[in-house]
């Protein structure tokens, strides 16, 4: 659909608009730059203008104007996605949701928020009544809840609650459509999956109802081990220990700990590090478990000191890659989900097979009730061919690779076209204006 001529200064009266090209270019970026494969593919892609609505009425007006003038619209939260999800491939409007920050209500076990609320902001509010988010990415301080649902997968807490796509981890969504007459639609129950993790291609999320978890007094701990496989088995055992309350089990093989410059005094040379968040009530059993696996606790921060010093979570999940790349920007990463196996035989095989080329970083999470390690390996990049070879080596062994080096929704995490999501797009975005070029099921429909 060809767009009519439009002028940003008159099209959105009364709504905040950014037209400065430097700012617009900045707000067209995300963290796809972690991937040397995506970098050249998305270089130079920018929107024409950034629009920053403060409420639903303004979003409706932006949607109506974009439909009238057939302007592509790419929704943006904090822009921390890793797949170029919010990089506009065809210019147009960047709809920045970060001014929609109202926490509408919080009740025991559930909260309703506007899409631009930051995860840390909701956590703080929920803790006032003893609850917190079930899971959060390591970007929780900046990322928005709308962006996490539309573009994320899981994180700290996933050891207890699984992934965002699991039934029950998102209760309701309100979306604004891009029809000739934009509408507000509320999705509940299984219907939320039509928009969950759809990268903003089929509806502008304005509100979300998110289930919460009971908040514990969380302690942060670093344990080091001389042998990597012993540390991995410690991680699996802690993940399986139903009586021990935890929300983060991150394992990093040497030399990854050398990239954590702020933690170096707790990470002796040639040791492998477990970064943990465990309830203070489980610290005694943790000591026994550490002893059983010949580990050494080198750091411990109590819940009371949570706000002091560094946050251990900000060295885990994809922050591990961030720290590695800060030291050596030629490094990149891989994402992998290992099949359940208490002996971790595949982890062991790959750890030795790739050595320093694919450095082992594991995050434990729960998939269909079973605790498994997910890899966010740090990869020494040489060529795209070699990276694909590494990916195939994993896939041949039954390891699932949600490929972080692609910018098409279906090519990364899910690998298959989600018909319900495409059908929903046909209804709410008939002109294909939303984040165009990202959904294979839409581009290849007949
Ligand atoms: P954005 O990047 O702004 O947007 C993500 C996608 O959602 C885009 O497609 C955008 O169009 C769409 N979108 C945003 N808001 C809306 C809306 N209101 N309506 C419709 N669509 C919308 N992810 C994890 O899952 N777990 C992790 O632990 C994790 N760790 C990370 C660590 C680092 C260092 C980095 C750089 C990234 C990490 N990520 C992780 C990826 C990312 O940070 C998260 O997915 C984050 O939640 C995205 O939120 P955001 O507000 O930045 O979204």
């Amino acid at each position: 659909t060809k767009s009519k001529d439009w002028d940003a200064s008159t099209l959105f009266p009364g709504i905040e608009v950014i037209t400065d090209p430097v700012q617009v270019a900045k707000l067209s970026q995300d963290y796809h730059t972690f991937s040397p494969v995506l970098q050249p593919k998305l270089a130079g892609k920018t929107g024409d203008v950034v629009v920053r609505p403060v409420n639903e009425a303004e979003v409706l007006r932006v949607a109506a104007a974009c439909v009238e003038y057939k302007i592509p619209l790419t929704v943006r939260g904090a822009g921390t996605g890793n797949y170029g999800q919010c990089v506009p491939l065809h210019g147009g409007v960047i709809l920045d949701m970060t001014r929609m920050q109202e926490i509408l209500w919080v009740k025991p076990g559930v909260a309703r928020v506007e899409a631009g609320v930051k995860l840390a902001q909701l956590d703080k509010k929920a803790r006032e009544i003893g609850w917190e988010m079930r899971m959060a990415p390591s970007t929780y301080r900046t990322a928005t809840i709308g962006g996490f649902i539309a573009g994320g997968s899981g994180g700290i807490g996933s050891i207890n609650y699984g992934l965002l796509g699991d039934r029950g981890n998102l209760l309701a969504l309100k979306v604004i459509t891009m029809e000739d007459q934009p509408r507000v639609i509320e999705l509940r129950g299984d219907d939320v999956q039509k928009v969950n993790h759809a990268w903003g291609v089929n509806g502008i999320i304005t509100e979300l109802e998110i289930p919460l978890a009971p908040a514990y007094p969380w302690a942060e701990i670093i344990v080091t081990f001389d042998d990597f496989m012993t540390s991995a088995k410690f991680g699996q055992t802690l993940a399986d220990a139903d009586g021990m309350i935890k929300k983060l089990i991150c394992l990093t093989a040497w030399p990854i700990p050398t990239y954590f410059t702020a933690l170096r005094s707790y990470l002796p040379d040639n040791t492998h590090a477990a970064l943990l968040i465990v309830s203070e009530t489980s610290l005694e059993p943790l000591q026994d478990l550490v002893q059983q696996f010949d580990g050494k606790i080198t750091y411990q921060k109590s819940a009371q000191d949570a706000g002091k010093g560094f946050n251990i979570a900000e060295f885990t999940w994809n922050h591990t890659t961030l720290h590695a790349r800060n030291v050596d920007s030629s490094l990149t990463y891989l994402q992998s989900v290992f099949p359940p196996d208490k002996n971790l035989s595949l982890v062991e095989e790959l750890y030795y097979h790739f050595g320093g080329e694919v450095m082992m970083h594991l995050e434990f999470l729960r998939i269909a009730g079973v605790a498994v390690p997910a890899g966010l390996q740090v990869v020494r990049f040489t060529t795209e061919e070699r990276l694909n070879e590494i990916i195939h080596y994993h896939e041949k062994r039954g390891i699932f690779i949600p490929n972080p080096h692609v910018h098409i929704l279906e090519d990364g995490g899910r690998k298959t076209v989600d018909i319900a999501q495409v059908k929903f797009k046909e209804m709410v975005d008939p002109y294909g204006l939303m984040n165009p070029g990202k959904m294979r099921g839409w581009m290849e429909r007949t």
Side-chain angles (χ1 to χ4, degrees):
T1 316
K2 200 171 168 337
S3 64
K4 285 196 248 174
D5 284 341
W6 55 284
D7 174 1
S9 61
T10 53
L11 205 53
F12 313 107
I15 304 176
E16 186 188 344
V17 167
I18 299 172
T19 52
D20 169 40
V22 176
Q23 281 294 332
V24 175
K26 211 171 134 206
L27 292 167
S28 299
Q29 285 298 307
D30 65 7
Y31 283 80
H32 70 271
T33 42
F34 280 14
S35 162
V37 177
L38 287 180
Q39 267 174 33
K41 289 189 179 146
L42 300 179
K45 304 278 182 208
T46 65
D48 295 301
V49 62
V50 178
V51 184
R52 307 187 70 217
V54 292
N55 56 35
E56 184 180 294
E58 289 192 356
V59 176
L60 277 163
R61 279 168 51 209
V62 177
C66 287
V67 173
E68 187 183 347
Y69 285 83
K70 305 293 177 286
I71 305 167
L73 177 144
T74 303
V75 192
R76 177 184 179 87
T80 64
N82 292 112
Y83 306 87
Q85 289 116 306
C86 59
V87 175
L89 297 182
H90 300 284
V93 165
I94 307 283
L95 188 73
D96 175 341
M97 298 297 288
T98 53
R99 290 186 72 191
M100 291 186 59
Q101 291 214 359
E102 198 177 334
I103 296 174
L104 298 152
W105 46 258
V106 182
K107 296 181 201 164
V110 56
R112 187 156 177 122
V113 296
E114 285 190 328
V117 168
K118 291 187 187 345
L119 285 93
Q121 210 181 324
L122 173 58
D123 245 5
K124 194 165 167 225
K125 189 84 190 160
R127 286 219 179 98
E128 289 172 11
I129 59 160
W131 294 79
E132 64 181 17
M133 290 206 63
R134 283 186 173 181
M135 66 192 76
S138 56
T139 47
Y140 60 94
R141 280 212 271 182
T142 48
T144 65
I145 297 181
F148 186 40
I149 294 297
S153 55
I156 300 130
S158 284
I159 181 59
N160 300 316
Y161 296 97
L163 294 168
L164 280 178
D166 291 335
R167 182 185 267 143
N169 280 333
L170 169 63
L171 299 176
L173 283 170
K174 200 196 245 190
V175 292
I176 287 180
T177 71
M178 300 261 306
E179 299 162 284
D180 286 314
Q181 306 247 289
R183 283 184 292 156
V184 181
I185 298 179
E186 172 102 0
L187 300 173
R188 305 196 65 91
D190 279 353
D191 279 346
V192 299
Q193 306 303 356
K194 293 174 180 169
V195 176
N196 197 357
H197 199 80
W199 289 16
V201 302
N202 62 4
I204 303 163
I205 303 167
T206 52
E207 283 179 23
L208 307 100
E209 227 170 276
I210 302 280
L212 302 172
Y216 286 88
W218 296 116
E220 301 180 10
I221 302 117
I222 298 176
V223 189
T224 59
F225 298 85
D226 290 335
D227 173 63
F228 175 70
M229 281 315 296
T230 309
S231 79
K233 286 182 182 159
F234 161 84
Q236 181 73 55
T237 310
L238 175 58
D240 289 335
D242 292 334
M244 294 174 68
I245 296 166
K246 59 265 173 181
K247 73 169 174 178
L248 175 74
I249 306 171
C250 164
L251 295 179
T252 53
W254 183 264
I256 293 176
T258 58
Y259 303 131
F260 301 151
T261 32
L263 309 185
R264 285 299 280 129
S265 51
Y266 310 107
L267 303 169
D269 278 352
N270 296 311
T271 61
H272 312 275
L275 311 186
L276 311 173
I277 300 184
V278 172
S279 165
E280 284 186 349
T281 54
S282 292
L283 281 175
E284 277 186 77
L286 181 74
Q287 275 168 14
D288 294 335
L289 186 67
V290 169
Q291 206 172 33
Q292 185 188 330
F293 284 86
D294 290 328
K296 203 163 147 201
I297 296 179
T298 59
Y299 172 82
Q300 191 168 312
K301 181 164 86 173
S302 68
Q304 205 190 326
D305 292 336
K308 297 186 192 150
F310 55 81
N311 295 324
I312 211 165
E314 289 177 329
F315 292 85
T316 69
W317 288 81
N318 224 3
H319 264 77
T320 306
T321 318
L322 178 97
H323 292 290
R325 284 177 49 78
N326 280 347
V327 173
D328 178 351
S329 62
S330 72
L331 297 172
T332 186
Y333 72 120
L334 199 63
Q335 299 186 136
S336 50
V337 183
F338 288 84
D341 167 21
K342 304 287 182 216
N343 289 323
L344 303 173
S345 334
L346 279 171
V347 171
E348 184 162 14
E349 184 197 330
L350 293 168
Y351 172 68
Y352 288 110
H353 177 78
F354 287 111
E357 187 182 14
V358 182
M359 298 167 240
M360 203 52 97
H361 162 201
L362 300 175
E363 297 286 346
F364 282 87
L365 51 86
R366 196 156 297 272
I367 293 186
V370 181
V372 296
L376 270 132
Q377 299 90 330
V378 177
V379 177
R380 200 165 284 290
F381 181 76
T382 47
T383 63
E384 189 173 345
E385 289 68 39
R386 176 60 186 154
L387 186 62
N388 287 331
E389 223 172 79
I390 294 171
I391 289 174
H392 291 145
Y393 192 92
H394 284 74
E395 287 176 337
K396 270 205 310 235
R397 281 157 180 76
I399 298 161
F400 181 74
I401 302 284
N403 190 353
H405 303 283
V406 295
H407 67 281
I408 305 282
L409 173 62
E410 295 93 335
D411 296 355
R414 294 195 179 154
K415 313 280 187 206
T416 54
V417 170
D418 183 328
I419 307 286
Q421 289 195 343
V422 180
K423 285 232 162 323
F424 193 67
K425 182 170 172 76
E426 280 170 0
M427 180 177 86
V428 303
D429 181 29
Y431 301 106
L433 297 172
M434 295 200 67
N435 207 356
K438 302 284 175 60
M439 187 189 228
R440 184 171 301 289
W442 171 263
M443 295 183 284
E444 294 178 355
R445 75 195 189 289
T446 46

